[in-house]
Amino acid sequence: MEVEARFNSVERLQQYITGCKSEADGHIVDTRVPVGWPTNGTIDFRDYKMKYRENTPVVLDGLSFSIGGGEKIGIVGRTGSGKSSLGVALFRLVEAHEGSIRIDGVEISTISLRQLRRRLSIIPQDPVLFIGTIRYNLDPFNNYSDEQIWAALEKTCVKDSISKLEGQLQAPVSENGENFSVGERQLMCLARALLRNSKVGT
């Protein structure tokens, strides 16, 4: 049984290497977005259809709706109704089958993944932290100052507990953040999103 399981793993790896379709380009030289985009964060779905693979059914079928800038909405529904698929669509983890999504008037399929994803934020349902330091988890690309990071931690009411740790922002984070409580991990994920100050977040 163990040998069979290991060979199944090899077959799966081979399938992923040779059969998986790549994402769109991370960089598109000729695309430009307005400076500071998005400024308001309005989102327009226009007759949007999405399927996870060519030979699978449509999971989002003809969605058309608008969300105003600064508006906060909740999406409810039973398991399999497409709630998570809306987030997948916004981040272009799967490309549209038909229709379009516009953020502040810009069709997101016409810009690079890097331009799009750097301007969106997500707070995961299961709080995710990585091995490293607190600072690395909040600002992995060193885009922000310590003062900005502390301000984000203060907004999420976790500044006091972080400031008591040895090393403070340089305090170590173990695998999956297991040296912090689930609540602390959730607050740090929230601080990470606040630090980016995105106009669109999920």
Side-chain angles (χ1 to χ4, degrees), residues 23 50 52 87-95 113 116-117:
E23 282 190 322
M50 187 189 88
Y52 282 97
V88 168
L90 272 176
F91 281 83
R92 282 177 57 200
L93 299 176
V94 175
E95 298 291 345
L113 293 179
L116 172 67
R117 293 174 183 172

Side-chain angles (χ1 to χ4, degrees), residues 48-87:
Y48 184 85
K49 297 182 181 180
M50 187 189 88
K51 53 171 64 176
Y52 282 97
R53 287 182 298 279
E54 284 302 318
N55 58 345
T56 58
V58 171
V59 291
L60 297 176
D61 192 2
L63 286 180
S64 292
F65 64 90
S66 295
I67 301 171
E71 192 174 358
K72 298 174 180 66
I73 65 161
I75 300 168
V76 297
R78 61 177 177 78
T79 301
S81 61
K83 303 183 297 295
S84 299
S85 296
L86 286 170

